[in-house]
Amino acid sequence: MKRGRGFTLIELMVTVAIVALLASMVMPLTEVAAQRSKEEELRADLREIRSAIDAYKQATDEGRIPRAADASGYPPNLEVLVNGVVDPKSPDQRRLYFLRRLPRDPMATDPAVPASQTWGKRSYESPPDEPREGKDVFDVYSLSEGVGLNGTPYREW
């Protein structure tokens, strides 16, 4: 009598159980990898915007951007970093640009919101522990209520 060369139902069930167990172990790792990627993007975007704000302030201090006597020298809004400002020291009135585009907060969930509204803005006059908007933009922060993998809320980055 010849025996068939196939898998028994028990062997198939054991194989499916092992594959399911391995898949359940991999899923949390992919979620952590995705969160880590978004956090790296958030760090890079914050660094880019903050560098542009600092460059604007330096240009103001050098007299390349006119300012009122009572102004801090920081940009009035984030859009001016992209739209640029006229350089009065330039003979042909060239514009100074600080960003090519304003990045979106990667933690923002609504794609319909403009990039400038995805960031929290802190004015020069507001305290660091209670940031609020004002007549200039001294710093930016994420509006996300989430907490990073390091345990620090995104708002405090």
Side-chain angles (χ1 to χ4, degrees), residues 29-95:
L29 294 177
T30 58
E31 291 172 4
V32 168
Q35 184 177 359
R36 183 173 289 126
S37 173
K38 286 177 93 172
E39 287 183 5
E40 288 173 5
E41 186 179 351
L42 175 62
R43 274 190 196 93
D45 291 347
L46 285 169
R47 189 175 303 117
E48 182 180 8
I49 295 171
R50 288 171 175 163
S51 295
I53 291 170
D54 292 342
Y56 184 99
K57 172 69 168 138
Q58 182 177 359
T60 302
D61 291 346
E62 293 170 354
R64 298 181 71 194
I65 299 173
R67 77 168 165 181
D70 63 340
S72 67
Y74 288 98
N77 54 52
L78 294 176
E79 289 84 0
V80 76
L81 300 173
V82 176
N83 299 335
V85 292
V86 175
D87 181 0
K89 290 189 173 185
S90 172
D92 55 352
Q93 298 294 301
R94 298 184 91 182
R95 294 181 80 77

